[in-house]
Amino acid sequence: DAGITQSPRHKVTETGTPVTLRCHQTENHRYMYWYRQDPGHGLRLIHYSYGVKDTDKGEVSDGYSVSRSKTEDFLLTLESATSSQTSVYFCAISLTSGNNEQFFGPGTRLTVL
Amino acid sequence: QQQVKQSPQSLIVQKGGISIINCAYENTAFDYFPWYQQFPGKGPALLIAIRPDVSEKKEGRFTISFNKSAKQFSLHIMDSQPGDSATYFCASTGTASKLTFGTGTRLQVTL
């Protein structure tokens, strides 16, 4: 998985609790992304980062925040988890912007009860 | 708002047959068209990609055909094998390197 780890790999939580997912890379890639994958929707971009402390919203950013204090770590926080945020979350990295390959992590399966 | 439409949702092909998956995009600013392959429990991985200055790209058994005027592109898997059974996603990107994915096609190759 191109030097990308995600933690935890599985999590069950209750509605209303905050949740933080971590993406760690050892490739020193500048760009990092968070996606969610749901049946019938493919992968949808939540937030992305183009450098330390530089982030921007994606297609489905409501209810999520991100932080990137180091090149290697990109955190996704669900401020108050809801059942609609039950999903599989993937982190991806890319060396440059534009038409460049994105490498995906193994995913985190999150269930919100 | 779906900007990349993918079909079919699922596909069953016999071993040795040709698998064809189609995608259509809306945004004429898109200029990079990758296909990703995903096995159960794994993250997607880049399979093959094309830019709009060519109409076809082939890598082994995998070919992308691109029709700029129709805003469509397709993945052809020749001599399909059981090991090709996976979910395939088309995607498109323009500026800011943000990928827009199709909804995926689950391919099953039978013996």
Side-chain angles (χ1 to χ4, degrees), chain B residues 2 4-5 16 18 20 31 39 42-43 45 51-54 58 61 68 72 78 80-81 90 92 98 104:
Chain B
Q2 180 66 13
V4 179
K5 295 182 179 179
I18 302 173
I20 301 174
D31 58 1
F39 294 104
K42 302 291 186 181
R51 300 188 184 192
D53 53 345
V54 296
K58 184 176 181 179
R61 296 185 294 109
K68 188 174 181 178
Q72 294 176 346
M78 313 299 288
S80 299
Q81 298 297 312
C90 63
S92 304
K98 292 188 290 186

Side-chain angles (χ1 to χ4, degrees), chain A residues 16-101:
Chain A
T17 59
V19 175
T20 295
L21 307 182
R22 180 184 185 231
C23 177
H24 178 79
Q25 61 145 330
T26 58
E27 307 296 323
N28 201 34
H29 282 18
R30 178 180 175 186
Y31 291 82
M32 298 186 75
Y33 310 83
W34 277 108
Y35 293 89
R36 59 177 291 173
Q37 184 174 27
D38 304 288
H41 292 277
L43 292 110
R44 293 179 291 174
L45 182 65
I46 304 170
H47 281 280
Y48 68 102
S49 170
Y50 43 95
V52 174
K53 296 190 172 144
D54 291 324
T55 65
D56 204 351
K57 296 179 179 180
E59 178 186 356
V60 290
S61 59
D62 287 348
Y64 301 95
S65 62
V66 290
S67 66
R68 190 168 178 202
S69 58
K70 299 184 290 184
T71 298
E72 57 266 36
D73 289 325
F74 192 32
L75 303 180
L76 176 71
T77 297
L78 288 65
E79 294 138 10
S80 177
T82 67
S83 58
S84 65
Q85 293 176 312
T86 292
S87 187
V88 180
Y89 291 85
F90 286 99
C91 173
I93 64 174
S94 179
L95 182 59
T96 64
S97 66
N99 308 335
N100 206 60
E101 179 176 358

Side-chain angles (χ1 to χ4, degrees), chain B residues 14-47:
Chain B
Q14 281 195 325
K15 179 181 175 182
I18 302 173
S19 303
I20 301 174
I21 305 171
N22 301 298
C23 279
Y25 63 99
E26 299 173 356
N27 191 335
T28 55
F30 287 161
D31 58 1
Y32 176 64
F33 303 90
W35 284 91
Y36 280 80
Q37 180 187 56
Q38 184 180 29
F39 294 104
K42 302 291 186 181
L46 181 68
L47 184 63

